Amino acid sequence: MTEEAQVAPEAEAAPEAVTPEADQASEATGNTEGQTEGQPAEVEGAEPEPEDKSDRTTRNQRRKAQMDRVKQEAKEAQDRAAKLQAELDRVRGVESNRPNAEDFQDHDEYLAELSAYKAEQRLKDRQVKDLERETEESTKQTQALHQKQVEEAFGNLAAQFDDARTRYADFDAVARDNSVPISQDMAYFMGLSDNGADVAYYLGSNKELAADLAAMPAPELAGAMRMLERTVKAQTPKPRTTTTAPDPVTPLKGGAGVSKDPSKMSAAEYRAWREAGGTH
């Protein structure tokens, strides 16, 4: 070139600014500078070695577990920031009236109320400052975790691209065609998916759909990408576990009972029956 930034089981909205590392974004969107179109980047003098399937599976499982951890940490940080902001708004909204000397017949009573009012205001000011500091720190932590989540997503998508090249002979030519309109948010949501590379290949073959998705705002895009992922997952061929070849023909043995009237046999069946020693 989807509830998995708040792209997986529930709808997730992409961060407002998706700014992944340059190499990961380039791999995901197909804009790798200095790389021949449709060709994966190569390290000069390095011989790529085939990766054992079990090693690749283990690596993918570790990556998925890491993404899940980062996602959970980001959610917890976001919840904490929201609670702190709500408490800050509540404390700021608490109002108390300054005592008015004219409302008191006893001046000493007025001074006592005024002193209590000033103490209450000092306490409120301290609470506001503490909450402002905690809210700012929590917001920064949330932003850092969202950025980490973006980087993890793009790293996951790049790894899926490597795996997809072993399944699609024309993967780079189709999925990383620069004429396919893939936005950063689309790539991000694909990176949150377990089938991101298959979605990228599907969009490479359906450019009009890709253009429609690229024009969507992030909240709407999140739902559309999840629906597309389910569609692509249902269409992606699974490894064949049974053969589609017809059952082998068991030749007729001499002396074996004939289950079909020779007069009703086809020419091939009659010939095989005669060669096996069949007689009228």
Side-chain angles (χ1 to χ4, degrees), residues 43-103:
V43 179
E44 184 176 355
E47 284 289 336
E49 297 182 359
E51 184 179 22
D52 184 81
K53 185 176 181 180
S54 61
D55 291 341
R56 184 168 63 249
T57 300
T58 301
R59 184 188 64 181
N60 291 341
Q61 291 173 342
R62 286 199 302 265
R63 183 182 299 106
K64 181 68 165 55
Q66 172 65 10
M67 289 180 65
D68 289 342
R69 283 194 297 270
V70 173
K71 178 187 175 183
Q72 182 62 29
E73 290 174 2
K75 184 180 184 304
E76 292 174 356
Q78 185 173 12
D79 290 344
R80 172 175 166 75
K83 290 179 181 179
L84 286 169
Q85 184 62 53
E87 178 64 12
L88 176 58
D89 292 341
R90 185 194 68 79
V91 172
R92 281 174 173 168
V94 173
E95 296 183 0
S96 56
N97 297 323
R98 181 186 178 92
N100 189 338
E102 296 178 355
D103 296 333

Side-chain angles (χ1 to χ4, degrees), residues 26-256:
S26 176
E27 171 69 8
T29 58
N31 297 322
T32 306
E33 183 178 356
Q35 179 178 328
T36 303
E37 177 64 26
Q39 294 296 327
E42 297 182 356
V43 179
E44 184 176 355
E47 284 289 336
E49 297 182 359
E51 184 179 22
D52 184 81
K53 185 176 181 180
S54 61
D55 291 341
R56 184 168 63 249
T57 300
T58 301
R59 184 188 64 181
N60 291 341
Q61 291 173 342
R62 286 199 302 265
R63 183 182 299 106
K64 181 68 165 55
Q66 172 65 10
M67 289 180 65
D68 289 342
R69 283 194 297 270
V70 173
K71 178 187 175 183
Q72 182 62 29
E73 290 174 2
K75 184 180 184 304
E76 292 174 356
Q78 185 173 12
D79 290 344
R80 172 175 166 75
K83 290 179 181 179
L84 286 169
Q85 184 62 53
E87 178 64 12
L88 176 58
D89 292 341
R90 185 194 68 79
V91 172
R92 281 174 173 168
V94 173
E95 296 183 0
S96 56
N97 297 323
R98 181 186 178 92
N100 189 338
E102 296 178 355
D103 296 333
F104 295 85
Q105 294 180 350
D106 187 328
H107 186 67
D108 289 339
E109 184 180 351
Y110 162 69
L111 292 178
E113 289 293 329
L114 180 61
S115 177
Y117 168 79
K118 290 181 178 179
E120 183 180 325
Q121 292 304 302
R122 287 193 296 271
L123 176 60
K124 177 181 177 180
D125 290 342
R126 285 198 299 271
Q127 285 180 316
V128 168
K129 288 181 180 179
D130 289 344
L131 285 169
E132 285 177 339
R133 184 185 68 256
E134 291 180 38
T135 300
E136 181 180 2
E137 291 174 353
S138 185
T139 298
K140 288 181 178 179
Q141 181 185 20
T142 300
Q143 292 172 344
L145 285 169
H146 275 314
Q147 179 61 29
K148 186 175 181 181
Q149 192 176 21
V150 170
E151 293 170 2
E152 291 284 347
F154 276 89
N156 179 52
L157 186 58
Q160 288 191 40
F161 277 13
D162 288 340
D163 178 69
R165 292 184 181 102
T166 67
R167 296 184 287 111
Y168 300 98
D170 58 347
F171 180 80
D172 286 302
V174 175
R176 299 187 63 202
D177 182 350
N178 284 335
S179 67
V180 182
I182 302 298
S183 68
Q184 292 280 15
D185 282 346
M186 290 168 66
Y188 169 72
F189 285 122
M190 286 188 286
L192 294 177
S193 165
D194 292 335
N195 303 92
D198 295 311
V199 171
Y201 188 85
Y202 183 89
L203 290 174
S205 303
N206 297 272
K207 297 181 181 180
E208 290 185 3
L209 174 59
D212 290 341
L213 292 171
M216 289 183 182
E220 183 180 351
L221 176 63
M225 291 297 290
R226 285 197 306 275
M227 291 180 62
L228 175 60
E229 179 189 359
R230 288 194 291 268
T231 298
V232 172
K233 186 175 182 179
Q235 295 180 0
T236 301
K238 293 181 173 61
R240 192 178 301 281
T241 57
T242 58
T243 178
T244 58
D247 294 335
V249 176
T250 303
L252 296 174
K253 304 278 186 191

